[in-house]
Amino acid sequence: MNKINILNVSIDNLTQEELLLLLKEKGGVVVTPNVDHLIKLQKDPEFHHIYQEADYRVCDSQIVKIVSKWLGSPIREKISGSDFFPAFYNYFQDDPDTKIFLLGAAEGVAHKAQKNINAKLGREMVIGCYSPSYGFEKNEAECQKIIEIINASGATVLAVGVGAPKQEKWIYKYKNQLPNIKVFMAIGATLDFEAGNRPRSPEWMSKYGVEWAFRLMSEPKRLWKRYLVEDLPFFWLVFQQKLNLYKYKSPIGQLLKTAGLISSEQVAEILQEQAYQRHLRFGDLLARRGWVKPETVDFFAEQLPHLETAHPQQPLGQYLKKAALLNDDQITRILNYQRQTGMKFGEIAVLKGWVKQETIDWFLDTVKAEHKVRSLEEKQKYGKASMTPIAS
């Protein structure tokens, strides 16, 4: 699947038709990045992790679509939640197995949206709804009540519209307790539009990327800070990306997960615990549980940024030693075995069960990427690459 990277967020370059077909075949979780999401994702590690875990991330903003073209990787189609949701229920209109549950909006709004959708379709496709109380996501009793209602309804599709990042976090936290749900959608204010509770902007405003102005005029007290203050850094960050100056420090949980050292479930568990103990660092909580050594946390949090650009390139074994993934004795034994067999250092470490293959791959692809680029530049300049052994 073709992906476009904007501000360290990978957006699936899909058309609406392609997304509908994928959901029909496989189901999955759909999130819809827009300018506001991209800004929030810079500061919220939990939100970023959840976005990484979503099955589909599709462009929900004409501004983001325009920016993608300016950056040289054009997104083919804007697929906003408020446009995609009606396209979804119309596409599955004649599918008796598609049964939708609506979660979100103010009291009575979701029920009105349910009636309106079913009236348009001529059948009871939306089979249930629930408008949660304010702050419901912090009330475990209410969340469990919602889960029971959804499971009892027989729904196979859940559309959640309680605003970002609350809706995405709720889906991620509870989706495993909803075994009958095949498709999860985070749809923002769409339920208000379906209920006729709020007007949609004219089509021409959406087309030219000024739908935000219509929403600002409709709800100035609620939205002025988002559009006029919080989201403005987006354009500066995009300009930095254009000049290859944009730097995003990946959350340590994401780095450790990508390196194969912890699982997605462990990342989510630590992030949830950290939400209630903000004075504790992510790495401290990991080490406390014994999932990762403190030295490994220190390597990824403190040493890694310096090692990526260090001169000269260090052997792979030394990187793994600095990360407390191998000790001197293990390195010596690997080197002895390497001399006897001619196998690669990383292959032997994996063969002995000391390091995972994805961890070896991560170190080779990430830590040494800068050195590979420099070697290529030297080869082009001098006619040969400087060769440094990776094992000894």
Side-chain angles (χ1 to χ4, degrees):
M1 191 185 302
N2 187 19
K3 297 180 185 292
I4 306 297
N5 188 285
I6 299 178
L7 302 185
N8 205 45
V9 176
S10 179
I11 300 175
D12 297 310
N13 199 4
L14 296 168
T15 66
Q16 182 170 277
E17 185 68 22
E18 288 170 342
L19 179 57
L20 288 168
L21 286 170
L22 284 168
L23 291 175
K24 183 177 181 179
E25 294 171 4
K26 304 177 182 179
V29 178
V30 181
V31 295
T32 54
N34 55 29
V35 171
D36 187 58
H37 288 203
L38 290 170
I39 288 296
K40 286 182 167 68
L41 286 161
Q42 307 303 303
K43 307 170 187 176
D44 187 336
E46 182 183 8
F47 193 28
H48 189 272
H49 171 69
I50 289 166
Y51 245 68
Q52 294 291 105
E53 295 296 308
D55 297 291
Y56 309 104
R57 297 171 291 275
V58 292
C59 176
D60 183 19
S61 166
Q62 188 67 15
I63 291 175
V64 173
K65 184 173 182 288
I66 292 168
V67 161
S68 72
K69 185 175 182 180
W70 184 65
L71 291 173
S73 301
I75 292 171
R76 290 185 288 164
E77 189 173 336
K78 183 190 86 160
I79 311 176
S80 64
S82 50
D83 290 326
F84 181 70
F85 184 57
F88 177 88
Y89 62 65
N90 281 303
Y91 183 85
F92 289 97
Q93 179 176 0
D94 298 321
D95 180 2
D97 293 328
T98 301
K99 302 171 185 177
I100 302 173
F101 191 98
L102 308 177
L103 173 61
E107 184 66 35
V109 173
H111 181 64
K112 190 174 180 182
Q114 177 183 4
K115 290 176 62 178
N116 288 351
I117 293 169
N118 288 339
K120 283 191 284 187
L121 297 174
R123 79 171 181 93
E124 298 294 309
M125 176 183 274
V126 182
I127 61 173
C129 65
Y130 185 89
S131 293
S133 64
Y134 181 78
F136 81 102
E137 73 282 2
K138 299 175 183 177
N139 184 338
E140 186 61 26
E142 184 172 7
C143 288
Q144 290 302 318
K145 175 186 172 183
I146 293 168
I147 289 167
E148 289 176 9
I149 293 171
I150 295 171
N151 284 333
S153 73
T156 58
V157 176
L158 177 62
V160 184
V162 294
K166 188 187 302 184
Q167 59 196 11
E168 290 83 4
K169 290 183 178 182
W170 196 92
I171 289 171
Y172 183 80
K173 184 176 181 180
Y174 294 107
K175 62 186 176 69
N176 290 336
Q177 297 184 44
L178 299 164
N180 298 322
I181 302 296
K182 307 304 180 189
V183 176
F184 296 84
M185 288 185 278
I187 59 173
T190 303
L191 296 183
D192 284 296
F193 299 145
E194 293 291 339
N197 196 45
R198 293 181 194 170
R200 287 290 309 273
S201 67
E203 189 174 339
W204 69 267
M205 295 188 81
S206 178
K207 179 180 179 181
Y208 290 103
V210 291
E211 186 174 6
W212 64 270
F214 181 87
R215 292 198 64 191
L216 177 60
M217 290 185 288
S218 301
E219 301 179 81
K221 288 184 178 180
R222 188 174 76 88
L223 297 176
W224 74 269
K225 189 175 181 181
R226 177 197 297 181
Y227 290 135
L228 302 181
V229 179
E230 294 172 349
D231 290 353
L232 284 181
F234 171 78
F235 300 100
W236 170 238
L237 293 173
V238 166
F239 182 69
Q240 289 179 309
Q241 181 172 335
K242 178 71 172 179
L243 298 178
N244 294 319
L245 298 174
Y246 169 74
K247 297 292 183 183
Y248 177 85
K249 186 177 180 181
S250 295
I252 187 170
Q254 190 63 39
L255 286 172
L256 291 166
K257 183 182 82 74
T258 307
L261 298 173
I262 56 176
S263 67
S264 294
E265 291 73 23
Q266 288 172 319
V267 174
E269 190 172 331
I270 294 295
L271 287 171
Q272 289 174 22
E273 183 177 350
Q274 194 178 30
Y276 296 101
Q277 301 185 70
R278 294 188 180 278
H279 63 288
L280 293 176
R281 297 186 306 169
F282 187 98
D284 294 335
L285 292 169
L286 272 178
R288 176 187 293 181
R289 291 177 181 233
W291 289 342
V292 178
K293 294 178 182 178
E295 297 88 348
T296 306
V297 171
D298 177 69
F299 174 84
F300 279 85
E302 305 297 336
Q303 299 182 49
L304 180 61
H306 305 292
L307 291 175
E308 286 179 336
T309 56
H311 284 285
Q313 176 183 345
Q314 297 184 42
L316 175 61
Q318 291 305 308
Y319 287 121
L320 293 169
K321 178 183 174 182
K322 288 177 183 291
L325 299 174
L326 289 177
N327 58 39
D328 285 328
D329 179 63
Q330 289 170 322
I331 291 174
T332 299
R333 291 167 66 182
I334 290 173
L335 291 173
N336 289 335
Y337 194 81
Q338 188 179 34
R339 282 190 284 270
Q340 296 170 15
T341 64
M343 292 175 64
K344 293 181 179 179
F345 187 95
E347 291 175 346
I348 301 169
V350 173
L351 179 66
K352 290 186 174 291
W354 292 336
V355 185
K356 293 180 180 178
Q357 182 63 55
E358 55 262 48
T359 306
I360 296 295
D361 292 341
W362 184 88
F363 272 90
L364 292 175
D365 292 342
T366 305
V367 176
K368 310 186 94 171
E370 290 290 333
H371 297 293
K372 290 177 183 177
V373 171
R374 291 194 185 100
S375 294
L376 179 60
E377 290 174 347
E378 290 175 9
K379 183 177 180 180
Q380 292 171 339
K381 185 174 181 179
Y382 301 111
K384 61 179 181 179
S386 59
M387 301 299 292
T388 305
I390 68 168
S392 57

